[in-house]
Amino acid sequence: MAKNSAVSMAASNLESVSSSASGQPAPRKSAGPRAAARRANEKRILAAAEEVFALAGFTGATTAAIARRASLPKANVHYYFRTKKALYRSLLNNILDLWLNEADSITEDADPAEALSAYVRAKVAYSQNRPFASKVFANEVVHGGSQIRDYLENQLKARVDGKVSIIRRWIAEGRMSPVDPYHLFFSIWAATQTYADFECQAAAVLGKDKLTAGDYRKAADHVEAMILKSCGLEPGGAAGS
Amino acid sequence: MAKNSAVSMAASNLESVSSSASGQPAPRKSAGPRAAARRANEKRILAAAEEVFALAGFTGATTAAIARRASLPKANVHYYFRTKKALYRSLLNNILDLWLNEADSITEDADPAEALSAYVRAKVAYSQNRPFASKVFANEVVHGGSQIRDYLENQLKARVDGKVSIIRRWIAEGRMSPVDPYHLFFSIWAATQTYADFECQAAAVLGKDKLTAGDYRKAADHVEAMILKSCGLEPGGAAGS
DNA sequence: GCTATTCTTGGCCATTTAGTCAGACTTCCT
DNA sequence: AGGAAGTCTGACTAAATGGCCAAGAATAGC
């Protein structure tokens, strides 16, 4: 009955996501057949949770639905993950790990066109292969990202800042045209993830139920071309003005 | 206790959004001082709902929170909108109306560069001025869009198809380079709306709490330049390759 | 075999929340 | 003034849901 401001309910009282990923009952030894079974069950539950959280959001998802999807009794889910929030945060951890390593192709001495092209294609592939993961992340960010604030402000920012310096250097060396590197990343993320997060909209506009492999190919081609052109780059690898 | 497939709960049993927007008790006459007060109250509730739904999603939002935000007793909210879903659908209707008219600058005889530029800038401005509306829409689409399927497949698709033909003609007339018009729209939507839907991510990466007016200006400049270049257009209005 | 540890699960409970309702109150019309 | 239509609201209810528990089943180590 606390008189919180009407909307603050969205931001719950959690520390943000850190490292500890797995369940709580902490078995005596971390290796062995028991531990393997445990990891398998956790993985199964996480996979179910990814789907349910993606389709219903955090509050909309029920532990019962997750359990049903994992073909386990609800109490069993609560055995591996004490609370719904703990499960949600474990899931986010897994997803964020993926996110961080996607820009690996962007390195100091890479070719700008090749690096950006690889990045864009990796992200479109991710949208195609892990749409639920993308949606869980999108949902979290749209709702204010209270569970991942720390990750966004620290790990992600640091990683992006690093890539931004690389791009600034590329620009200074005349290897690509001057663009704001931050906004370049925002555009890449948006234009690629939209094929996961907003798939149903794209599909509807294209007059289909679901996007096909061909659609994703076209999407990758289109976004790649757009990003490269916006940086004055040619697909081959030669630099423009 | 129905044995629905684990995830189907996300798609509830609603007809999709159509036209009827307002409350139910249907006053005798649709004009007059009473009706004006009614409209004012509905507007107030819708504004509150926009914010609460944006931050918490459909399931996460509570009618109590919406009422609190509108400074009204909960029962009063239910007087104007019988159910939470009815309120949600009214809100979606308002938002979708905005969406449909944003591409008005794209007409047969407009200058491609000017038209696309205006469209991009209108959409960035929308992200800046109505971030909650954008988030409500994003949330709905991310979760499968069960409430707006009809809108997406009919009204929106028709509107987009119209704009696509225009762009195809521009391309045929050599007024811009060949790009896939559908994916061009997907990219424009994504790159502009990301500043509303994913604001907290962009802000975190930029090391701020919130995006500033300057950030939105930079965003508009960046996306405008990106889209124009990807179409082989110059900001002034002259056509390229 | 025996015991300790981990795992499994049905059943239970407290809390939250959408929606109802009866009655009070206000505004309008004649 | 008086009544009718519309508006407002506190209190209540039924359903859903996260989480707990205790007892049983399985497994590992000795």
Side-chain angles (χ1 to χ4, degrees):
Chain A
M1 302 304 165
K3 296 239 172 124
N4 290 329
S5 109
V7 175
S8 72
M9 35 149 304
S12 50
N13 48 332
L14 289 189
E15 333 76 74
S16 17
V17 166
S18 55
S19 341
S20 73
S22 63
Q24 278 73 15
R28 225 177 1 175
K29 285 184 176 174
S30 46
R34 241 26 191 288
R38 166 171 281 270
R39 249 171 293 131
N41 273 332
E42 283 173 355
K43 204 172 160 188
R44 191 161 150 201
I45 294 169
L46 284 168
E50 185 169 306
E51 207 162 326
V52 176
F53 280 128
L55 289 180
F58 176 77
T59 12
T62 67
T63 55
I66 294 170
R68 221 166 25 220
R69 183 127 206 106
S71 304
L72 289 174
K74 181 166 72 96
N76 207 342
V77 171
H78 275 92
Y79 173 75
Y80 285 102
F81 299 91
R82 256 197 233 301
T83 67
K84 186 177 156 185
K85 269 181 199 156
L87 170 55
Y88 182 62
R89 298 177 74 225
S90 281
L91 178 60
L92 276 178
N93 259 324
N94 292 1
I95 294 171
L96 299 181
D97 279 350
L98 289 179
W99 238 92
L100 271 191
N101 298 321
E102 277 178 326
D104 282 351
S105 65
I106 298 178
T107 60
E108 192 63 44
D109 47 355
D111 173 70
E114 274 169 26
L116 288 175
S117 173
Y119 184 39
V120 164
R121 291 189 171 275
K123 290 222 58 117
V124 172
Y126 175 76
S127 286
Q128 182 175 7
N129 300 326
R130 296 290 297 270
F132 295 127
S134 187
K135 283 180 170 185
V136 170
F137 180 77
N139 185 70
E140 172 62 22
V141 175
V142 166
H143 293 349
S146 58
Q147 306 308 306
I148 56 172
R149 189 156 307 246
D150 175 71
Y151 160 85
L152 294 176
E153 292 175 353
N154 299 115
Q155 290 159 267
L156 178 63
K157 175 168 172 40
R159 195 64 76 99
V160 173
D161 282 345
K163 303 299 179 189
V164 163
S165 332
I166 295 178
I167 290 183
R168 288 226 170 95
R169 222 157 309 159
W170 286 349
I171 294 173
E173 294 166 359
R175 300 217 274 159
M176 58 180 274
S177 7
V179 297
D180 184 308
Y182 286 110
H183 290 275
L184 173 63
F185 277 111
F186 299 158
S187 290
I188 293 176
W189 298 341
T192 55
Q193 288 171 11
T194 194
Y195 292 103
D197 305 338
F198 292 69
E199 189 208 342
C200 83
Q201 185 185 21
V205 167
L206 292 175
K208 322 184 166 185
D209 273 350
K210 269 173 53 73
L211 296 182
T212 66
D215 292 324
Y216 285 102
R217 223 174 305 125
K218 271 193 200 173
D221 290 345
H222 168 83
V223 178
E224 180 195 28
M226 175 178 77
I227 294 299
L228 291 186
K229 275 195 192 176
S230 82
C231 296
L233 296 167
E234 295 294 327
S241 128
Chain B
M1 299 307 164
K3 296 240 172 125
N4 290 331
S5 110
V7 176
S8 71
M9 35 149 305
S12 49
N13 48 332
L14 289 189
E15 333 76 75
S16 17
V17 166
S18 56
S19 343
S20 74
S22 62
Q24 279 72 16
R28 226 181 355 178
K29 286 184 176 175
S30 46
R34 245 22 192 291
R38 167 171 281 270
R39 248 172 292 132
N41 274 332
E42 283 173 356
K43 205 171 158 188
R44 189 161 152 201
I45 295 169
L46 284 167
E50 185 170 307
E51 206 162 327
V52 175
F53 280 128
L55 289 179
F58 177 77
T59 10
T62 67
T63 54
I66 294 169
R68 222 167 24 220
R69 182 126 207 109
S71 305
L72 290 175
K74 181 167 75 94
N76 206 344
V77 171
H78 274 91
Y79 173 73
Y80 283 102
F81 299 91
R82 257 198 232 299
T83 68
K84 185 177 156 184
K85 269 180 199 155
L87 170 55
Y88 183 62
R89 297 177 75 225
S90 280
L91 177 59
L92 276 179
N93 260 324
N94 292 0
I95 294 171
L96 299 181
D97 279 349
L98 289 178
W99 238 93
L100 269 190
N101 298 322
E102 277 177 326
D104 281 351
S105 65
I106 299 178
T107 60
E108 192 64 44
D109 46 355
D111 172 70
E114 273 169 26
L116 288 175
S117 174
Y119 184 39
V120 164
R121 292 191 170 274
K123 289 221 58 117
V124 172
Y126 176 76
S127 285
Q128 181 175 8
N129 299 328
R130 296 290 296 271
F132 296 126
S134 186
K135 283 180 171 185
V136 170
F137 179 78
N139 185 70
E140 172 62 22
V141 175
V142 165
H143 294 349
S146 59
Q147 304 308 304
I148 56 173
R149 188 156 308 248
D150 175 72
Y151 161 84
L152 294 176
E153 291 174 354
N154 299 115
Q155 290 159 267
L156 178 63
K157 175 167 171 40
R159 195 65 77 100
V160 173
D161 282 345
K163 303 300 179 188
V164 163
S165 331
I166 295 179
I167 290 184
R168 287 226 171 95
R169 221 157 309 159
W170 286 348
I171 293 173
E173 295 165 358
R175 301 218 274 161
M176 57 180 275
S177 6
V179 299
D180 185 308
Y182 285 109
H183 290 275
L184 173 62
F185 277 111
F186 299 159
S187 289
I188 293 176
W189 299 341
T192 55
Q193 287 171 9
T194 193
Y195 292 103
D197 305 339
F198 293 69
E199 189 209 341
C200 84
Q201 185 185 21
V205 167
L206 291 175
K208 319 184 167 184
D209 272 351
K210 269 173 53 72
L211 296 182
T212 65
D215 292 323
Y216 285 102
R217 223 175 303 125
K218 272 192 198 172
D221 290 345
H222 169 82
V223 178
E224 180 195 27
M226 175 178 77
I227 294 300
L228 291 186
K229 275 195 192 176
S230 83
C231 297
L233 296 167
E234 295 294 325
S241 121

